[in-house]
Amino acid sequence: MANQQETAETLARTPLYQQGVKLKARFTSFGGWEMPVQYSGITREHEAVRNNAGMFDISHMGKFTLQGKNLISQLQGLVPSDLSRLQPGQAQYTVLLNPQGGIIDDIIVYYQGEDSTGTQQVFIIVNAATTTKDKAWLLQHLDQNEVKFQDLSPEKVLIAVQGPKAIKYLQPFVQEDLQPIKAFGHLQTTILGKPAFIARTGYTGEDGFEVLLDPDVGVELWRSLSNAGVTPCGLGARDTLRLEAAMALYGQDIDDTTTPLEAGLGWLVHLDTKGDFIGRAILEEQKVAGVQRRLVGLQTQGRNIARHGYPVIADGKVVGEVTSGTLSLTLGYPVALAYVPTTLSKVGQQLAVEIRGKAYPANVVKRPFYKSKNKV
């Protein structure tokens, strides 16, 4: 009881919290929030997203809107990706970098266009646990005389509807035709008669949408989707789904000490097409000299799961560390992500992982572990 009281007093709750209570979800602490970890069971929720449609309350994530002249030019100095390529209605998954090339956070930048006065508008979603840090970093490096920054994190609901049939369930509630929206495309629309922002993005490896709404219509949409047959899903299924798709989790697979080139995110680094940005010098050096370690995918034998922090072994010596691991519910065998020396990072390399004091064989395999045939 003491722990329950402490949780209620110290953790934030989203506007959809009571919906989880009504559905008898199990809750956990995550990034300062009390969030559902599962509703009907991780396996059932995982399979619903892979085969039908599931929905996640991700309202705990940070949500910023930025407006200003030269906004894209200013943001260009904070990320390694070339944001100048974005057209209105397009988005870019990228990372904020520190001067050492380390990842402050992984974010999505949604470019909403430029008005007749030359004012550009951008919407950014960041991780829940890093919202305060990201906000401070952006305000520190953007010219506040030119850029208007608004933090929507406390006042908006964000729902992720994911799965091969997500569009079938979501479309009846949306004014716009969702089919023409391409991956990472987005638009302003009306849902249940109220203004909403909708993007064809997600964190499960499946097709799907993320929807930003005011709390009242967010609760209504959640209830309506649930009644229509969309499975409510918690953080447990979100983790097994994202790991099968080999999507990095900030704080585990990437952090302030890992660069995008080490983390297998080199496709976000556009050195040839953009100017200076924080961390560029380090990435240029790594590009020329090569990185000393890489994040790789591992397939371990048997049913033993390699968890975060477990040692990776080669020739009897510890050479690396697991960052994330789970039993792939789709593939039926354990998978993991781990940092290992670059010399041991090629697909097919045989390694071992120490699990509860015993070494189990593990092979470096191609990522992602699972790739949807239905994704747009």
Side-chain angles (χ1 to χ4, degrees), residues 121-154:
Q121 181 159 326
V122 160
F123 177 56
I124 298 178
I125 293 183
V126 307
N127 281 296
T130 52
T131 300
T132 301
K133 180 177 72 167
D134 294 355
K135 180 178 179 180
W137 185 260
L138 289 166
L139 290 175
Q140 177 185 347
H141 290 90
L142 296 174
D143 185 342
Q144 295 184 50
N145 291 320
E146 291 189 349
V147 176
K148 179 183 177 183
F149 184 99
Q150 187 177 11
D151 184 356
L152 300 178
S153 305

Side-chain angles (χ1 to χ4, degrees), residues 22-23 34 38 69 92 122 140 153 163 181 197 202 206 281 283 285 296 305 312 329 336 349-350 359 366:
K22 291 178 181 176
L23 293 171
E34 187 176 9
Q38 60 176 296
K69 295 179 179 177
Q92 171 75 52
V122 160
Q140 177 185 347
S153 305
I181 303 176
F197 171 86
E206 293 294 340
L283 298 187
E285 291 176 12
V296 300
I305 299 172
V312 178
L329 297 173
Q349 174 71 46
Q350 295 185 348
K366 189 176 179 180

Side-chain angles (χ1 to χ4, degrees), residues 241-260:
L241 289 158
R242 72 92 191 167
L243 187 46
E244 280 186 347
M247 294 178 170
L249 175 62
Y250 192 81
Q252 287 193 189
D253 308 307
I254 53 176
D255 59 29
D256 296 78
T257 69
T258 56
T259 75

Side-chain angles (χ1 to χ4, degrees), residues 288-299:
V288 173
V291 295
Q292 298 299 307
R293 60 174 182 167
R294 289 185 186 279
L295 188 67
V296 300
L298 295 179
Q299 179 182 339

Side-chain angles (χ1 to χ4, degrees), residues 93 106 202-206 239 241-250 253 324 337 367-369 375:
Y93 171 73
D106 60 332
Y203 190 54
T204 62
E206 293 294 340
D239 193 57
L241 289 158
R242 72 92 191 167
L243 187 46
E244 280 186 347
M247 294 178 170
L249 175 62
Y250 192 81
D253 308 307
S324 293
L337 297 175
R367 295 186 297 162
F369 307 107
K375 196 168 183 182

Side-chain angles (χ1 to χ4, degrees), residues 26-103:
R26 283 178 50 196
F27 288 86
T28 189
S29 168
F30 184 82
W33 294 79
E34 187 176 9
M35 297 297 297
V37 66
Q38 60 176 296
Y39 294 81
S40 52
I42 291 175
T43 300
R44 182 177 176 184
E45 294 165 25
H46 183 108
E47 291 176 346
V49 173
R50 289 285 179 248
N51 302 314
N52 189 41
M55 59 180 176
F56 302 81
D57 175 13
I58 55 171
S59 307
H60 60 310
M61 300 189 76
K63 318 165 202 71
F64 306 144
T65 59
L66 293 82
Q67 292 177 306
K69 295 179 179 177
N70 304 313
L71 175 58
I72 292 296
S73 296
Q74 292 196 47
L75 289 171
Q76 284 277 63
L78 304 183
V79 301
S81 309
D82 187 359
L83 301 181
S84 70
R85 304 186 306 181
L86 290 176
Q87 298 297 313
Q90 294 181 338
Q92 171 75 52
Y93 171 73
T94 187
V95 288
L96 294 171
L97 295 180
N98 61 32
Q100 293 73 42
I103 299 173

